[in-house]
Amino acid sequence: AFYSGDFSNAGSSFNVLSQKKDKDFALWSNQKGSIYLAAGDYKQALSAFLDAYYLMNDTSAFSNLESRAVALTGEEINKAYKGDPYERVYNSFYVSLLLEQEHDYDNALAAVKNGLLCDSDVEGGLYKSDMVLLYLLGSRLEALRKNTAVSDEYFQKAKDAYLLAYPDN
């Protein structure tokens, strides 16, 4: 239904799934957010993405949602959907864009920072994100907040991230 442009029908399916408030609630909410975004319903998209955002970033919530403790191993069917780092990054990106549209620059910037943290290479010790779009969005938000120096820092980090992520480097 989604791919054929029938957003109403696609949304209905995910509304039914998300009403269960089961271990995959964040997944259903992200899917609903994508549907609302494609349909141009930005307020509903923000609401759905925020539902997923809050849950995916609340590690204590998963002990209540999973049928057993959070572990690195185990059957996927028993684990609650928390989102991979990539999924969490894009959830943060969409939340930030939609909050910026609402002129809520402080919370939009918090979502940018969250997304950058989700994308950081902590294991490799780099502590740097290569998510150029988030740095550019951070630069824009700081410019809108009249923080020129911080905006310039974000822009420089966007250029650095581009070099870090560019396939030829």
Side-chain angles (χ1 to χ4, degrees):
F2 178 83
Y3 292 112
S4 67
D6 185 359
F7 302 128
S8 177
N9 192 24
S12 295
S13 299
F14 285 103
N15 281 331
V16 169
L17 289 168
S18 65
Q19 286 175 353
K20 296 178 186 177
K21 302 241 183 201
D22 65 1
K23 64 183 182 59
D24 295 325
F25 179 73
L27 174 63
W28 312 139
S29 295
N30 270 333
Q31 296 299 326
K32 282 179 18 180
S34 296
I35 292 165
Y36 290 131
L37 193 60
D41 189 344
Y42 302 126
K43 290 208 182 280
Q44 289 285 13
L46 176 58
S47 178
F49 281 128
L50 279 172
D51 285 344
Y53 178 87
Y54 292 135
L55 187 57
M56 290 186 332
N57 291 295
D58 182 2
T59 54
S60 65
F62 292 106
S63 62
N64 296 328
L65 291 173
E66 291 187 334
S67 57
R68 60 182 178 196
V70 175
L72 294 176
T73 60
E75 295 180 35
E76 288 297 315
I77 197 149
N78 294 323
K79 292 182 181 179
Y81 173 83
K82 301 179 258 313
D84 291 331
Y86 177 80
E87 293 165 315
R88 293 175 66 204
V89 164
Y90 275 95
N91 172 271
S92 294
F93 177 71
Y94 290 131
V95 165
S96 184
L97 276 177
L98 292 165
L99 286 171
E100 186 235 348
Q101 190 175 35
E102 298 282 320
H103 304 286
D104 186 351
Y105 304 137
D106 292 339
N107 285 317
L109 193 55
V112 164
K113 291 175 182 179
N114 181 73
L116 292 171
L117 183 61
C118 291
D119 190 46
S120 296
D121 183 6
V122 177
E123 289 180 22
L126 297 175
Y127 306 105
K128 291 182 181 178
S129 170
D130 62 357
M131 184 60 179
V132 177
L133 288 174
L134 279 174
Y135 284 120
L136 289 173
L137 186 53
S139 178
R140 175 178 168 75
L141 290 165
E142 288 294 3
L144 289 168
R145 296 172 71 214
K146 310 284 189 244
N147 292 332
T148 307
V150 180
S151 176
D152 291 344
E153 287 176 31
Y154 270 109
F155 190 73
Q156 181 58 49
K157 288 180 181 180
K159 291 192 286 187
D160 294 343
Y162 175 76
L163 292 174
L164 180 68
Y166 191 71
D168 289 345
N169 290 334

